[in-house]
């Protein structure tokens, strides 16, 4: 299993890159990760809200779908709305069961939980 945790600073940060540039760079990384043996699980704070499915920027979703990846979070993950935190894997894979979004109360982001379905060698 290959797990990659991604953090993209919010647009208000001096370290943030434009969404299009982020998607291009992420696409390059994804191409390398997908080529590795094993199941890919991508998670993290992508900070790409938008009008796409479930409040995710459509350019980011296109980056995933063009590589046969599916984004599994279907609820807002931020206190003020928007789906900023994502869980992504290869479409058709049963590597991750349903994703739960839990408001833990002490953060502006909600907690994502899932069960990873894998067998030890």
């Amino acid at each position: 299993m290959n797990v990659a945790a991604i953090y993209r600073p919010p647009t208000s940060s001096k370290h943030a890159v434009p969404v299009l540039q982020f998607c291009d760079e992420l696409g390059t990384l994804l191409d390398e990760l997908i080529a590795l043996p094993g199941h890919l699980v991508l998670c993290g704070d992508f900070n790409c809200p938008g009008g796409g499915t479930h409040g995710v920027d459509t350019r980011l979703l296109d980056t995933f779908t063009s590589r046969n990846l599916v984004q599994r979070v279907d609820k807002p993950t931020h206190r003020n709305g928007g789906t900023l935190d994502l869980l992504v894997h290869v479409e058709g894979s049963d590597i991750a069961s349903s994703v739960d979004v839990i408001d833990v109360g002490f953060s502006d982001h909600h907690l994502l939980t899932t069960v990873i379905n894998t067998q030890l060698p």
Side-chain angles (χ1 to χ4, degrees), residues 33-64:
L33 293 173
I34 290 168
L36 295 173
H39 295 282
L40 173 62
V41 176
L42 190 67
C43 59
D45 182 357
F46 289 77
N47 276 310
C48 288
T53 305
H54 307 297
V56 179
D57 190 289
T58 55
R59 295 167 290 187
L60 181 59
L61 294 176
D62 290 345
T63 301
F64 296 146

Side-chain angles (χ1 to χ4, degrees), residues 29 51 53 69 75 82 89 95 107:
L29 174 64
T53 305
L69 299 172
K75 297 177 184 140
H89 61 76
I95 192 71
S107 173

Side-chain angles (χ1 to χ4, degrees), residues 29-113:
L29 174 64
L30 290 174
D31 292 341
E32 293 181 22
L33 293 173
I34 290 168
L36 295 173
H39 295 282
L40 173 62
V41 176
L42 190 67
C43 59
D45 182 357
F46 289 77
N47 276 310
C48 288
T53 305
H54 307 297
V56 179
D57 190 289
T58 55
R59 295 167 290 187
L60 181 59
L61 294 176
D62 290 345
T63 301
F64 296 146
T65 57
S66 67
R67 290 164 176 82
N68 198 34
L69 299 172
V70 61
Q71 193 289 110
R72 297 289 309 276
V73 180
D74 61 359
K75 297 177 184 140
T77 62
H78 192 269
R79 179 183 317 147
N80 297 328
T83 306
L84 307 180
D85 308 283
L86 308 178
L87 179 77
V88 178
H89 61 76
V90 174
E91 189 165 7
S93 167
D94 64 351
I95 192 71
S97 54
S98 64
V99 177
D100 292 317
V101 178
I102 302 165
D103 183 354
V104 292
F106 59 83
S107 173
D108 59 342
H109 286 253
H110 302 319
L111 174 70
L112 299 182
T113 64

